Amino acid sequence: MTSFPATARRVRDESLDPRQRRVRLRNCLYHFAPYGFHATWHHLAATHGIPRGIEADPSALVRALDEVETARALVLSRAVAFAAQRRLQKWQGRRVPAALHPWDSWGCHDIAYCPDPQKHPAEPLPVVVDRVLDACAAGPDRAGRCLVCGQEDWDLWRVCQNCGVASGGRGNHR
Ligand SMILES: [Zn+2]
């Protein structure tokens, strides 16, 4: 499979057929889709007004890609920082505390997985991704509040009734 950056370049390539560029944008989501593939596509199509007949507005694809790239950059920079911190702790002979680290256990993908493609947070992807990463960095004690929307009476292994996110990741929710 081609890399995310190579696929993203094709989305912006105006010499390609808009339908081809649309396919490339969907391919980008195989590499990075914070809500899972279907919910992330639903979010992007609604937010950026991606028309069914993409010839009418191919620039919607670029607007959507910009949002995905911004969210992905947040995850990548945090993952690098986390790996460096872990190496330092190991070098110092310290035990690494058990905490939620989505880039370890879930990968960059599905960081705020939404099993129902139509039910996902309304905010931009970078905002949601940043909030999940902050919550994970702060540790597992969330006092029963959703990592994304703060909804109370929540637990990691349930789908949030308010925002639709299954914070425990794909396949782990009840
Ligand atoms: Zn929520």
Side-chain angles (χ1 to χ4, degrees), residues 146 149 160 163:
C146 172
C149 70
C160 176
C163 69

Side-chain angles (χ1 to χ4, degrees), residues 34-35 39-40 43-44 47-48 67 71 112 120-132 146-150 162-163 165:
Y35 302 156
T40 303
H43 164 79
L44 293 174
T47 303
H48 301 285
E67 184 180 348
H120 49 73
E123 294 157 298
L125 292 174
V127 171
V128 173
V129 164
D130 211 27
R131 202 175 292 148
V132 173
C146 172
L147 267 59
V148 173
C149 70
N162 184 47
C163 69
V165 170

